[in-house]
Amino acid sequence: MSPKGVTLHRRPTSAIIDRSALRHNYLEIKKRTTPGTKVMAVVKANAYGHGDVQVARVFESMGCEFFGVAIPEEGARLRQAGIKAPVVVLGGIFPEQAPELFDLDLTPVIYDMETARLVNGLAVKMGVRKKMHLKVDTGMGRLGIKPGEVAPFLREFRSLKGLELEGVLSHLAEADSLKREFSETQLELFNETLRTVREDCGFEPALVHMANSAAVVDLADSRFNLVRPGIMLYGSYPSERFRGKIDLKPAMQIKTRILYLKSVAAGSPVSYGRTFVAGRPSRIATLPIGYADGLPRRLSGSGEVLVKGKRVPIVGLVCMDLTMCDVTDVEGV
Ligand SMILES: *Cc1c(COP(=O)(O)O)cnc(C)c1O
């Protein structure tokens, strides 16, 4: 908003999202799954900063059948924008949020009996059956009931007529690591739990899911009939070792324009703390972007930017809204 009668020109610093890269990454992931396996695009945290509504529309147009969010508020944004596909709230809910699941048609992930009873009570009152997914903790140590608690949970669950066990899921703690032992242990535990769910308890969940991005590429047996990729959809590799295993295109570009360009003598310091001192006569460009824009302060003295297509170092500390880079070796800046 600008004051009346004032024309405001925005600072020329933008994040540009490439929809064709999103589509490319989605197809690369789809290629790694068998025809019976569906994709739940994880669009939590504003689609990893890429714009949740716009990103969800792209994946919806690609035939994506499920969306995963962390919290109900994120689900509300998708519904307000008219996204119709099932939206699963992966991160759990607080009791006061339970009515929103119904108002917004969100599918909860549940891992405790109190929440199950609460959601069941609301469903029964409304005369509906609410689909839910049961989360099992096989080693992530974050959310989920222990495998040994699944049978007693389901025994009581059977009497909750307002709930439908649509899915059973677990989450991998180190699928990106080179060492696969822990992931395989988690998978084994999950498979045992699924046997309990099916054979001992007599439930046949329509959806079974465990695989995050790394596991989609690297742990085929964890894909079951639904996969939950996040980071790879946006074109980042879960870790360096995945480069070459799947072809991803970064969907986000951060662009800006040089605000100030100056020549400095050898020995001149740059930015807070004088952590950088020019070792030669240098050309320093000041960019209108900083950590308030999300440029990590950790990139101080180690990050790079492209200037006229050439990689140049960020020098000195990244400031709140300004960052300096050394363009001495680039012609014609
Ligand atoms: C974030 C998240 C994902 C996606 O993980 P990536 O590593 O980004 O692919 C999948 N499942 C759950 C439960 C998550 O919280």
Side-chain angles (χ1 to χ4, degrees), residues 120 123-124 128-130 157-164:
N120 176 68
V124 168
V128 297
R129 262 189 115 201
K130 188 72 180 160
F157 184 86
R158 202 182 298 283
S159 64
L160 305 181
K161 298 301 180 197
L163 296 182
E164 175 187 337

Side-chain angles (χ1 to χ4, degrees), residues 30-246:
K30 201 69 192 148
K31 265 197 251 169
R32 299 271 179 320
T33 62
T34 51
T37 297
K38 297 179 158 114
V39 176
M40 177 191 292
V42 178
V43 295
K44 63 188 174 191
N46 196 25
Y48 293 49
H50 291 67
D52 49 9
V53 168
Q54 294 89 335
V55 164
R57 287 196 181 125
V58 170
F59 295 139
E60 197 175 44
S61 75
M62 302 288 290
C64 181
E65 290 173 81
F66 293 89
F67 291 102
V69 295
I71 54 180
E73 295 95 302
E74 295 169 346
R77 286 175 52 83
L78 298 184
R79 288 293 182 240
Q80 269 154 18
I83 299 289
K84 297 277 184 289
V87 173
V88 178
V89 181
L90 296 167
I93 58 157
F94 287 93
E96 61 272 25
Q97 294 174 314
E100 296 158 29
L101 301 172
F102 295 86
D103 298 340
L104 298 165
D105 188 21
L106 305 176
T107 306
V109 164
I110 292 180
Y111 39 82
D112 67 294
M113 192 37 80
E114 296 79 74
T115 306
R117 285 196 205 105
L118 173 65
V119 177
N120 176 68
L122 293 172
V124 168
K125 215 186 284 172
M126 284 184 237
V128 297
R129 262 189 115 201
K130 188 72 180 160
K131 288 181 174 166
M132 52 76 67
H133 293 206
L134 174 64
K135 185 158 202 176
V136 185
D137 183 3
T138 55
M140 177 67 185
R142 191 171 68 175
L143 300 173
I145 65 171
K146 293 185 189 75
E149 293 167 352
V150 166
F153 179 92
L154 288 180
R155 262 197 292 282
E156 180 168 356
F157 184 86
R158 202 182 298 283
S159 64
L160 305 181
K161 298 301 180 197
L163 296 182
E164 175 187 337
L165 184 69
E166 182 189 42
V168 176
L169 72 149
S170 191
H171 193 49
L172 292 159
E174 52 171 58
D176 55 337
S177 154
L178 196 53
K179 292 192 227 104
R180 297 164 55 102
E181 289 90 336
F182 193 71
S183 296
E184 278 160 10
T185 306
Q186 281 195 266
L187 181 55
E188 221 170 280
L189 205 50
F190 191 46
N191 274 316
E192 276 171 36
T193 308
L194 291 170
R195 268 194 296 279
T196 304
V197 171
R198 291 187 175 121
E199 290 165 27
D200 305 345
C201 303
F203 284 90
E204 192 46 68
L207 300 167
V208 173
H209 48 119
M210 184 178 214
N212 57 5
S213 291
V216 167
V217 175
D218 222 25
L219 198 65
D221 291 345
S222 74
R223 293 179 205 148
F224 297 97
N225 64 357
L226 182 68
V227 293
R228 302 190 308 261
I231 191 150
M232 288 198 318
L233 288 170
Y234 308 101
S236 291
Y237 294 90
S239 63
E240 276 305 305
R241 72 184 185 86
F242 287 84
R243 229 172 259 284
K245 289 192 171 195
I246 182 165

